[in-house]
Amino acid sequence: MIINCAGTLLYLKEPKIMGIVNLTPDSFYDGGKLCSEYSILQHIETLLNEGSDFIDIGGCSTRPGSKSITEKEEIKRVIKPIRTIMKNFKNVRISIDTFRSEVARIAVEEGAVMINDISGGKLDKNMFPLLGKLKIPYILNHMKGIPENMQKNPYYHENIITEINNFFSEKIYYLKQHRIHDIILDPGFGFGKTLEQNFQLLKHLSLLGFQDYPILVGVSRKSMIKFILKTSYEESLNATSIIHTIALLNGSKFLRVHDVKEAVECIKLVQYYRKIL
């Protein structure tokens, strides 16, 4: 698998890592930690030094139960940091985590090379036409409902794998109508799924997208770990690495993570394991 990222071809024989940068006061694990230019740059430096291939920047919390902020506030949170990051780090690849086309447009003008849309284009009708103009990779995420209500009794009419594949197929059709071909699929762990459904997705990851598109897994320190182990977000790093390993063995090509060093170790071990006859 190959994606064209700002003119650079990225070969996905080895999975890639997206380091999370939450510029929000209320994200479930790291909300409010990056509140100054210094702390942001220090965090970016750590992510890159540890091996992050992409920096995924978001200014609007999408944790279960969160309420949306205004577009103006989201732009205020992310654009200045993107400018600062682009100025201080050479060859950094920024993904903008937003469901708003205007935020995405401005972020790309400032240097972002990928759009990570938790709504799969459902919350902004202008997102797909914008992608057609920008011609950059797009992370197509599956979400049931909206962050404010997505975890209130999520229900699927049929097998969850079938329903999500139907969603992906429909959205991919429309993306191709806009001549978008660099598509990454995110099944949306925790985005309108029960605990059992999250693990069904993990177990049957290889069935998503019919192996035609790279799969991104975002499970870092999420509540699917917390609820089973009766632990805190802060103490769930080891369990996150276990879930990452399962995801890699089941075909994931991208890991969206808080902890890059440990994710790199998972990839190296799984890659070596695969080579052994």
Side-chain angles (χ1 to χ4, degrees):
M1 292 182 177
I2 304 172
I3 60 169
N4 187 332
C5 193
T8 299
L9 295 181
L10 291 183
Y11 293 83
L12 302 181
K13 184 176 181 180
E14 181 174 295
K16 305 301 179 184
I17 292 176
M18 299 183 70
I20 297 171
V21 179
N22 282 326
L23 303 178
T24 54
D26 57 342
S27 291
F28 74 92
Y29 167 62
D30 53 359
K33 291 184 178 180
L34 303 179
C35 54
S36 68
E37 181 177 298
Y38 175 77
S39 63
I40 293 170
L41 291 176
Q42 189 177 47
H43 183 56
I44 298 294
E45 184 175 28
T46 297
L47 295 177
L48 294 175
N49 286 343
E50 290 182 349
S52 189
D53 300 288
F54 289 88
I55 303 299
D56 193 46
I57 297 178
C60 179
S61 177
T62 54
R63 63 175 175 79
S66 64
K67 294 184 179 181
S68 185
I69 59 173
T70 65
E71 181 179 278
K72 183 178 180 181
E73 177 63 23
E74 187 178 353
I75 291 172
K76 180 181 177 182
R77 288 181 182 179
V78 300
I79 297 306
K80 185 177 178 181
I82 289 175
R83 289 173 182 161
T84 302
I85 292 165
M86 295 300 298
K87 180 180 178 181
N88 285 273
F89 297 97
K90 292 182 179 180
N91 303 317
V92 63
R93 298 189 190 99
I94 292 177
S95 166
I96 178 66
D97 181 1
T98 184
F99 57 83
R100 292 183 169 116
S101 60
E102 184 62 10
V103 177
R105 182 189 65 78
I106 298 174
V108 171
E109 286 181 354
E110 296 294 339
V113 296
M114 182 183 288
I115 297 173
N116 181 10
D117 177 7
I118 57 105
S119 81
K122 292 190 297 182
L123 297 182
D124 189 334
K125 65 180 180 180
N126 294 319
M127 183 62 83
F128 285 8
L130 173 70
L131 284 164
K133 297 176 182 177
L134 298 178
K135 295 293 190 293
I136 63 173
Y138 177 68
I139 300 173
L140 173 63
N141 185 88
H142 176 273
M143 176 176 66
K144 198 85 167 176
I146 60 175
E148 191 172 352
N149 62 24
M150 64 187 177
Q151 286 303 103
K152 294 180 179 178
N153 301 314
Y155 174 76
Y156 291 80
H157 296 284
E158 51 191 323
N159 177 283
I160 188 172
I161 302 298
T162 302
E163 190 162 329
I164 291 179
N165 268 335
N166 287 339
F167 169 84
F168 283 150
S169 294
E170 178 184 348
K171 294 297 181 179
I172 288 169
Y173 171 80
Y174 288 115
L175 284 167
K176 288 188 173 181
Q177 294 297 303
H178 291 283
R179 298 184 180 180
I180 301 302
H181 300 286
D182 293 301
I183 304 166
I184 299 159
L185 304 181
D186 181 350
F189 288 91
F191 283 78
K193 282 89 177 175
T194 65
L195 182 62
E196 181 179 354
Q197 288 165 348
N198 281 319
F199 278 89
Q200 286 176 339
L201 287 176
L202 182 65
K203 187 171 185 176
H204 302 293
L205 204 63
S206 62
L207 300 179
L208 294 173
F210 308 103
Q211 299 185 348
D212 290 330
Y213 297 90
I215 302 294
L216 181 147
V217 166
V219 294
S220 183
R221 297 181 182 267
K222 284 192 173 180
S223 57
M224 61 184 283
I225 295 168
K226 177 184 175 184
F227 290 152
I228 289 181
L229 301 182
K230 304 294 189 289
T231 188
S232 66
Y233 295 124
E234 290 74 17
E235 296 175 336
S236 60
L237 175 56
N238 180 62
T240 294
S241 293
I242 293 171
I243 300 295
H244 282 161
T245 302
I246 296 171
L248 291 166
L249 289 171
N250 288 342
S252 174
K253 293 297 184 182
F254 284 85
L255 297 178
R256 184 178 181 272
V257 308
H258 295 95
D259 310 281
V260 172
K261 175 179 176 291
E262 290 77 6
V264 168
E265 291 173 351
C266 290
I267 289 174
K268 287 182 177 179
L269 288 171
V270 170
Q271 290 293 97
Y272 187 82
Y273 167 81
R274 289 189 183 280
K275 292 178 182 178
I276 299 300
L277 298 177

